[in-house]
Amino acid sequence: MSIQPQDPTFKGKYNSLMKQRRQEKHQEAKHHNEPNGQDRVKQQSKQTENKKNRRPRVRIFPIWLRIIVTLLFCIIALVVGLMIGYGVIGDGVPTDVLKTETWQHIIDIVTKPN
């Protein structure tokens, strides 16, 4: 590895030296990772055998149950948020938010004609 004489500064010499080392490593890695034709065929056949012999995945927590649980958590979060907003922030009774009369009153206020 020779240092190029056109770079007069230490930084330039160091950069060119590091560039050469990176190129050499890249070439070695490229040469090392290239399998010949027979190895490539063996690897492909092993991959197809592994795919054929693989058991189907059994989920402990099925997708349909995940959807139901997620929706349930969303509903619980909505109700808790309404109770905190109406009871704590709005100075009302938190359980009143679950009554239909409360919602009817809120709808009447919002849709009141001018």
Side-chain angles (χ1 to χ4, degrees), residues 6 14 40 61 79 84-85 89 102:
Q6 66 222 24
Y14 178 77
R40 189 176 301 145
F61 197 54
V79 170
I84 290 173
I89 298 173
T102 304

Side-chain angles (χ1 to χ4, degrees), residues 9 13-14 27 29 37 45 48 54 80 83 96:
T9 62
K13 291 178 185 179
Y14 178 77
Q27 288 174 353
S45 64
T48 56
R54 209 181 318 172
V80 169
M83 291 176 81
D96 283 348

Side-chain angles (χ1 to χ4, degrees), residues 60-114:
I60 297 172
F61 197 54
I63 293 175
W64 61 269
L65 188 59
R66 291 179 192 183
I67 293 171
I68 291 173
V69 169
T70 303
L71 289 174
L72 188 68
F73 281 143
C74 288
I75 291 170
I76 290 171
L78 177 69
V79 170
V80 169
L82 287 171
M83 291 176 81
I84 290 173
Y86 190 78
V88 177
I89 298 173
D91 293 331
V93 179
T95 55
D96 283 348
V97 85
L98 303 175
K99 296 180 182 177
T100 55
E101 296 88 24
T102 304
W103 288 104
Q104 189 61 45
H105 180 69
I106 291 173
I107 291 171
D108 290 342
I109 291 172
V110 171
T111 59
K112 180 175 89 174
N114 289 333

Side-chain angles (χ1 to χ4, degrees), residues 38-68:
Q38 292 175 347
D39 291 341
R40 189 176 301 145
V41 172
K42 287 179 184 178
Q43 287 175 355
Q44 288 175 351
S45 64
K46 285 181 182 179
Q47 287 175 355
T48 56
E49 288 176 11
N50 288 341
K51 287 181 181 179
K52 290 178 184 177
N53 295 336
R54 209 181 318 172
R55 291 183 296 159
R57 183 175 177 181
V58 178
R59 297 183 189 269
I60 297 172
F61 197 54
I63 293 175
W64 61 269
L65 188 59
R66 291 179 192 183
I67 293 171
I68 291 173

